Amino acid sequence: MSRPQTPPRQFFPFGNPFRMISPKGSNLPSKLAAILNAFERSLAERLRKLHPSSKDDVLSLSWMKLAMELLCETHSDIKTLIKELDLPVPDWNEKWIDVYLDISVKLLDICNAISSELSHLNQSNLMLRCVTHNLDSAESKRLTRARASLGQWRLNISSSNSRIKNCCTILDSLGESLDLPKVKNSAKGKVLMLALYGVKVQTVFMCSVFASAFLGSPKLFDLKIADTYSWGQTFSSLQNDVNNEIRSTYSHGKFTPLKELEAIDQCVANLHKIIPENPEVEEAKPLENAVSELQGKAEKLSEDLHLLTNEVDSFFQIVLAGRDALLSSLRDSETIWS
């Protein structure tokens, strides 16, 4: 999807949106201050909701679903804020339109990478269901197939995903563009830049956590947020606790940082020990309880993956809708000017 050819316009009439901005000394009109304060209160509340009550919450699929759900809400909020500020698209500069479209493409690519990995996990989970089906019988050939499949599942689940690796490169690029400008002579511009900074911080942080969950090694940012931002301390506390737990998980050499997958891996390892290497001559130990436990965890994993996939799809649609709205506005402006 490309930008239509239009005369040069000013993207934000207040300058480059990727240099440092400070919230200090912002003497905003009361209406604009109220818009910004409402946005930042909502952002801080979402960050508080994400704060894990225990280390087991971090990188559980339910926590990741909540994280993506709250990220969707923040991106929806910024669209509402832009409407409230009434910043006309025809005043945007061609160069910064390209910047906006480039960032939106990167977010869409990240969504596609995450969706790809979730699909991979779902396919691996189907393999477990086939395993449990084979374990319904004590027939030696089926036990042999089941034992081989358990080993294959572990290899499959730990295989690297090139899209996730590419996602890390994209995140590096987004992280480098976090800083926002000092805005002069535009109160609306100051409000928008302050709000966009919060959106970008939450987005980069959460996407880095997702990448760390799927990559096999931590891909984390330690973002330094000024205390002058009303949500700054809440974010810093969240980032510190989540990043520390992820790094601790990887330092202990766990098979996967995802809590649900770790639990399934324990079931798989247990079953692998119980099923004899040569069922024709060795007697299999009772499998019923172990199989039942694996079935339950596999079904729960399937449900959680489905819910998380839906949230990632929602985020994709929100980003895509914002991009399409900008392109549509540009085309409408071109029609008016022609």
Side-chain angles (χ1 to χ4, degrees):
M1 188 181 299
S2 61
R3 173 183 52 78
Q5 297 300 316
T6 58
R9 305 176 189 123
Q10 197 173 354
F11 179 68
F12 295 118
F14 29 82
N16 180 348
F18 302 113
R19 295 177 188 163
M20 178 59 72
I21 185 172
S22 171
K24 292 181 179 178
S26 298
N27 297 316
L28 297 172
S30 58
K31 181 179 178 180
L32 294 181
I35 291 174
L36 178 61
N37 289 339
F39 176 87
E40 293 193 331
R41 280 196 302 270
S42 295
L43 175 59
E45 181 58 29
R46 292 187 189 109
L47 295 173
R48 275 191 288 271
K49 287 180 179 179
L50 267 182
H51 205 287
S53 57
S54 74
K55 65 180 183 179
D56 290 334
D57 287 343
V58 178
L59 293 192
S60 67
L61 290 175
S62 58
W63 183 85
M64 293 171 72
K65 172 187 171 296
L66 175 62
M68 189 56 68
E69 179 183 331
L70 297 177
L71 190 59
C72 288
E73 291 180 6
T74 298
H75 277 259
S76 294
D77 269 8
I78 198 67
K79 289 170 61 179
T80 301
L81 179 139
I82 290 173
K83 289 180 181 179
E84 292 176 337
L85 293 178
D86 191 24
L87 289 171
V89 171
D91 290 338
W92 293 18
N93 181 278
E94 180 177 359
K95 178 180 180 181
W96 301 118
I97 290 173
D98 288 338
V99 171
Y100 175 88
L101 294 177
D102 179 62
I103 290 174
S104 66
V105 164
K106 288 175 179 176
L107 291 179
L108 294 176
D109 284 343
I110 289 173
C111 286
N112 284 331
I114 294 173
S115 294
S116 172
E117 183 60 23
L118 292 175
S119 177
H120 170 235
L121 294 178
N122 217 10
Q123 290 171 0
S124 299
N125 199 40
L126 288 175
M127 182 186 295
L128 286 182
R129 295 192 170 206
C130 291
V131 170
T132 56
H133 175 71
N134 281 327
L135 291 174
D136 285 342
S137 168
E139 197 256 331
S140 61
K141 289 184 178 180
R142 298 182 74 176
L143 290 176
T144 299
R145 285 197 299 269
R147 196 174 195 279
S149 295
L150 290 174
Q152 184 61 38
W153 175 85
R154 213 169 193 275
L155 289 174
N156 187 57
I157 208 70
S158 59
S159 61
S160 60
N161 186 329
S162 59
R163 284 193 173 188
I164 293 295
K165 291 181 178 179
N166 184 54
C167 175
C168 294
T169 303
I170 297 172
L171 281 171
D172 285 335
S173 176
L174 288 175
E176 290 170 0
S177 68
L178 273 178
D179 292 343
L180 295 171
K182 281 188 175 181
V183 180
K184 297 181 179 179
N185 305 320
S186 175
K188 288 183 178 181
K190 290 179 181 179
V191 171
L192 181 57
M193 289 301 98
L194 290 169
L196 281 175
Y197 183 67
V199 172
K200 293 189 72 179
V201 166
Q202 184 186 2
T203 302
V204 169
F205 169 65
M206 289 316 313
C207 288
S208 72
V209 170
F210 273 65
S212 296
F214 302 136
L215 187 63
S217 62
K219 172 60 184 177
L220 301 170
F221 293 88
D222 292 303
L223 306 177
K224 307 298 182 184
I225 310 300
D227 290 341
T228 43
Y229 289 95
S230 61
W231 49 268
Q233 290 186 350
T234 303
F235 172 80
S236 296
S237 176
L238 170 66
Q239 176 182 244
N240 182 68
D241 288 352
V242 171
N243 285 0
N244 284 345
E245 179 56 28
I246 293 174
R247 289 185 175 116
S248 174
T249 297
Y250 276 113
S251 68
H252 286 83
K254 291 186 178 180
F255 170 65
T256 171
L258 285 171
K259 297 299 188 292
E260 290 84 356
L261 279 184
E262 183 185 4
I264 285 180
D265 182 56
Q266 292 172 356
C267 291
V268 168
N270 184 38
L271 268 172
H272 204 267
K273 292 177 182 178
I274 294 174
I275 301 173
E277 291 188 41
N278 188 353
E280 292 185 1
V281 297
E282 299 176 62
E283 183 179 353
K285 298 178 182 178
L287 299 174
E288 183 177 349
N289 290 339
V291 172
S292 177
E293 183 181 8
L294 179 57
Q295 285 176 331
K297 291 186 183 301
E299 289 175 4
K300 181 65 166 60
L301 177 62
S302 180
E303 294 173 5
D304 290 340
L305 287 173
H306 175 70
L307 293 173
L308 180 54
T309 298
N310 286 345
E311 290 300 332
V312 174
D313 288 346
S314 294
F315 183 55
F316 182 95
Q317 293 302 325
I318 288 171
V319 174
L320 185 62
R323 178 185 172 86
D324 286 351
L326 170 60
L327 291 168
S328 177
S329 296
L330 291 171
R331 293 189 187 99
D332 291 343
S333 299
E334 175 66 14
T335 301
I336 293 173
W337 293 353
S338 60

